[in-house]
Amino acid sequence: MNHQNIKFTEYRKALQQASFFKESSDEAIDKLLGSMTAVNWNVKSFKSSLEVSTTFHFIVSGRIKVFKSNPDTGREHTVFVLSDGDVFDVLSLLDTKPHDVYWEALDTSEILKISMDQMRNWINEYPIAHKAILYYLGNRMRLLMDVATDVTLHNTLVRLSSLLLKNINGETRKLELINNLPNEEIAGLIGTTRAVVSRHIQELKRCGAISVSRKQINVKNLELLLSIAEEKFIP
């Protein structure tokens, strides 16, 4: 991509604001962007680890679900939902091996991509990126540990309440990232089924913690939802 591209400035700003690149210089950002290609993933676009493992991706807009699937049972578990400013696949970037997960677009998504070899060369040329990689991986590891702990120690109602709390904007009190996801997708994030999530949503509605309008969950009583997540109140 060259500077004459009409979206070059927009893409540069998106990279500069992302945590993965925020300490990189303007020169480094421009050098990276010059080797990137912009692509669009339509809703429900699906990629296997083999398709993704040779290319590093940066999400400009949209949400990408990262999940594992059991081919024998058809059950899925969503590992992460990635959104604006996130990157993937960092593990393949580090160890050169395909990451045994699948990728699916939850929205129409705009993505910048670059070959893994080019990305590794860029990191070697601008080693400050090593620090950003460690921070990014540390954050993801912390999230994975929280999920593992929640599944082991807490019931599905508590896990759902905690998921809602983690995705609430503190100022607007509106859900972000998981906003408008169907119950099946929410179920994949907390390790249960759509039917269980639907039942718990009705329980949270009846006790006044949330309301649901046009498939969107709205938090009505943040304190009550927090009490449920902390197992201090059972609806």
Side-chain angles (χ1 to χ4, degrees):
M1 183 184 303
N2 56 46
H3 287 73
Q4 281 69 47
N5 187 297
I6 59 173
K7 302 196 76 172
F8 189 93
T9 301
E10 175 189 337
Y11 292 150
R12 176 200 281 153
K13 183 177 180 181
L15 289 168
Q16 289 171 332
Q17 292 177 341
S19 60
F20 200 87
F21 301 105
K22 65 180 181 181
E23 295 193 32
S24 298
S25 65
D26 291 344
E27 174 197 349
I29 293 293
D30 285 355
K31 180 79 175 285
L32 177 65
L33 189 52
S35 300
M36 286 180 144
T37 303
V39 295
N40 289 318
W41 286 17
N42 295 324
V43 177
K44 297 296 183 182
S45 293
F46 173 87
K47 304 287 184 181
S48 69
S49 56
L50 289 177
E51 294 175 278
V52 169
S53 63
T54 59
T55 312
F56 189 78
H57 299 77
F58 172 81
I59 303 174
V60 178
S61 63
R63 292 174 295 180
I64 303 293
K65 177 177 73 171
V66 187
F67 68 99
K68 293 182 72 76
S69 177
N70 185 325
D72 297 324
T73 64
R75 292 192 62 181
E76 294 182 1
H77 174 68
T78 301
V79 183
F80 295 119
V81 174
L82 306 177
S83 63
D84 306 6
D86 280 320
V87 297
F88 64 95
D89 182 16
V90 180
L91 290 183
S92 295
L93 176 69
L94 297 179
D95 65 11
T96 73
K97 298 178 182 178
H99 188 184
D100 186 23
V101 292
Y102 299 94
W103 318 81
E104 182 180 335
L106 298 174
D107 311 304
T108 298
S109 301
E110 189 171 15
I111 293 172
L112 295 172
K113 67 176 186 177
I114 182 174
S115 76
M116 285 293 187
D117 286 340
Q118 287 178 300
M119 189 64 192
R120 292 186 189 105
N121 290 337
W122 180 83
I123 291 171
N124 289 333
E125 186 173 353
Y126 301 99
I128 196 170
H130 291 155
K131 181 179 178 181
I133 291 172
L134 289 176
Y135 277 126
Y136 192 85
L137 285 175
N139 176 262
R140 292 295 159 184
M141 289 176 65
R142 189 180 299 276
L143 291 174
L144 286 175
M145 288 178 65
D146 288 345
V147 169
T149 301
D150 287 347
V151 169
T152 303
L153 301 179
H154 304 299
N155 63 43
T156 49
L157 177 59
V158 170
R159 301 205 299 267
L160 175 60
S161 301
S162 297
L163 177 69
L164 296 177
L165 288 168
K166 289 174 183 176
N167 287 277
I168 290 174
N169 182 303
E171 296 181 359
T172 66
R173 293 201 171 188
K174 293 184 180 296
L175 280 182
E176 297 180 345
L177 189 61
I178 64 169
N179 181 40
N180 74 18
L181 288 183
N183 290 352
E184 184 176 3
E185 297 292 355
I186 293 175
L189 283 163
I190 61 172
T192 188
T193 65
R194 179 182 59 80
V196 171
V197 168
S198 298
R199 185 176 76 246
H200 289 328
I201 286 176
Q202 293 304 314
E203 292 171 343
L204 294 174
K205 284 173 60 180
R206 282 196 295 270
C207 75
I210 66 170
S211 63
V212 180
S213 176
R214 297 180 180 179
K215 298 183 179 181
Q216 288 192 312
I217 298 174
N218 304 296
V219 177
K220 293 181 63 178
N221 190 324
L222 187 62
E223 291 72 23
L224 179 56
L225 188 62
L226 181 61
S227 294
I228 297 170
E230 293 178 343
E231 301 182 85
K232 295 177 180 177
F233 176 78
I234 301 175

